[in-house]
Amino acid sequence: MKISDILSTNKISISLEVFPPKKDSSYEVVETAVKEIAHLKPSFISCTYGAGGGTSSNTVKISKLIQDQGVTSMAHLTCVSSNTEEVKKQIKRIKEAGIENILALRGDIPKDYVEPTEPHFTHATELVKFIKQEYPEACIGGASYPEKHPEAASKDEDIRHIKEKVDAGCDFLTTQMFFDNSTFYNYLYRLREEGINVPVLAGIMPVTTKRQMERSIELSGCIIPPRFKALVDKFGDNPEAMKRAGIIYATDQIIDLIANGINHIHIYTMNKPDVSEGILNNLKGIV
Ligand code: FAD
């Protein structure tokens, strides 16, 4: 099923995200986690793609596994470290596996980045156009950043580029994580003012360990509100308490979003069936 069809019904959608096995982790462990997460029957599950190519071969495999469990899937695809031919091959694999949804991304620039000498894409907008050409029936999503992308000079400039990406053919946007909902409400208002009218999925990251919070800030540069920082300071050294607190904080954010008319939530569940289940159980009767 196309995600655009799921979003068009205006019913509340809760989607989850998994990642393929890293080089040093076993496929079977990830497979079991993905099956357990799919068993929770979210609106769809997306599977990330390793920008450097390290985990990319498993993205289609895991996305197919999700669909085999009766859940709609979306394969992420990055372009910064690949040439056009490699990207074309990956789109073909996605199409042949019967996956109808692609999240078109540039990917983070690796520290040791060597720009491919062959033809390649430099921004996600070019990738969106290419997917439209290679797989016109695909439903395409794009990434967006309520606190602006770290490389963008200003929020205005970043939103201008988001507009170009949507005009190129994105059917919806999924946001980077944020921990203060007012950031999202403000951002959504600015997107709408710029005439960006596609559905925007609010990205929620349940932070269940102290290390995860440190990594999240490092990767996304997002602001940690004092209310959330206090929680990590208090429970960060007690794994069980931190997990419960992280699940409750994420649930609280989601309930506030739904109460304010935001119908589409994407949860960065990170291959954790217990965290996914904890949040979905908390939402019973609401969703
Ligand atoms: P772009 O849309 O290309 O934007 C990148 C930067 O370039 C922005 O600052 C933008 O303002 C600027 N820009 C855009 N167009 C132009 C232009 N024409 N001229 C000048 N500047 C321009 N990474 C992975 O490696 N694998 C994943 O699976 C993955 N999944 C993600 C899922 C979500 C929902 C999100 C929010 C991020 C994900 N990422 C993933 C991280 C993402 O790859 C990085 O944030 C990356 O740095 C930017 O990707 P993008 O697609 O947003 O890039």
Side-chain angles (χ1 to χ4, degrees):
M1 187 174 192
K2 285 190 186 171
I3 290 172
S4 49
D5 291 333
I6 296 172
L7 304 178
S8 70
T9 65
N10 238 3
K11 279 191 354 204
I12 294 168
S13 75
I14 304 281
S15 49
L16 307 178
E17 184 164 308
V18 297
F19 56 84
K22 301 222 161 66
K23 275 179 200 146
D24 54 355
S25 64
S26 108
Y27 180 83
E28 288 69 31
V29 171
V30 174
E31 184 181 33
T32 304
V34 168
K35 282 185 178 168
E36 286 178 30
I37 291 172
H39 190 68
L40 301 169
K41 298 290 172 212
S43 303
F44 71 88
I45 301 177
S46 77
C47 181
T48 65
Y49 186 83
T55 64
S56 57
S57 58
N58 279 319
T59 297
V60 175
K61 199 170 166 188
I62 299 278
S63 301
K64 174 90 173 57
L65 172 72
I66 294 164
Q67 295 213 148
D68 291 346
Q69 313 308 303
V71 177
T72 297
S73 74
M74 171 164 72
H76 294 205
L77 175 61
T78 67
C79 59
V80 72
S81 298
S82 319
N83 61 44
T84 312
E85 239 357 86
E86 287 161 345
V87 172
K88 189 175 178 166
K89 276 191 199 142
Q90 186 70 1
I91 296 171
K92 190 162 176 273
R93 274 186 219 120
I94 292 172
K95 188 175 177 177
E96 284 173 357
I99 295 150
E100 296 177 277
N101 307 290
I102 304 179
L103 189 69
L105 300 147
R106 184 197 67 180
D108 282 323
I109 313 259
K111 279 192 193 85
D112 51 356
Y113 182 62
V114 183
E115 199 165 340
T117 47
E118 303 100 335
H120 64 282
F121 305 115
T122 47
H123 289 291
T125 300
E126 296 160 23
L127 177 61
V128 172
K129 288 180 187 163
F130 190 66
I131 297 170
K132 282 252 151 238
Q133 180 190 310
E134 294 296 310
Y135 186 7
E137 318 83 77
C139 168
I140 307 174
S144 72
Y145 303 84
E147 295 174 33
K148 91 170 181 62
H149 185 268
E151 289 166 34
S154 67
K155 282 191 179 174
D156 285 347
E157 184 194 291
D158 204 29
I159 290 178
R160 252 196 326 275
H161 292 312
I162 296 285
K163 173 98 171 72
E164 288 161 9
K165 192 153 65 174
V166 170
D167 289 346
C170 272
D171 296 293
F172 66 94
L173 297 166
T174 304
T175 76
Q176 180 61 283
M177 68 186 89
F178 55 88
F179 296 100
D180 178 348
N181 286 359
S182 60
T183 312
F184 178 84
Y185 300 134
N186 183 281
Y187 181 64
L188 191 60
Y189 180 77
R190 293 178 76 147
L191 291 181
R192 299 309 187 216
E193 254 195 342
E194 283 306 310
I196 300 168
N197 291 314
V198 293
V200 181
L201 280 64
I204 296 295
M205 168 75 88
V207 174
T208 53
T209 66
K210 196 176 180 174
R211 174 80 194 111
Q212 196 190 341
M213 188 187 82
E214 289 157 3
R215 281 278 295 159
S216 302
I217 303 172
E218 193 184 307
L219 290 175
S220 69
C222 59
I223 296 165
I224 302 295
R227 194 167 85 84
F228 186 62
K229 173 130 192 345
L231 187 147
V232 180
D233 286 346
K234 178 79 178 170
F235 305 117
D237 295 324
N238 177 342
E240 197 45 44
M242 186 62 226
K243 193 202 276 183
R244 286 291 302 145
I247 289 174
I248 291 168
Y249 191 93
T251 307
D252 191 41
Q253 271 193 285
I254 295 168
I255 292 173
D256 179 73
L257 287 163
I258 294 171
N260 283 284
I262 307 302
N263 282 352
H264 308 302
I265 318 282
H266 185 69
I267 313 176
Y268 295 104
T269 40
M270 315 277 287
N271 298 7
K272 291 178 184 161
D274 54 342
V275 174
S276 316
E277 191 173 10
I279 296 175
L280 294 182
N281 278 343
N282 287 345
L283 292 174
K284 274 202 181 125
I286 292 175
V287 174

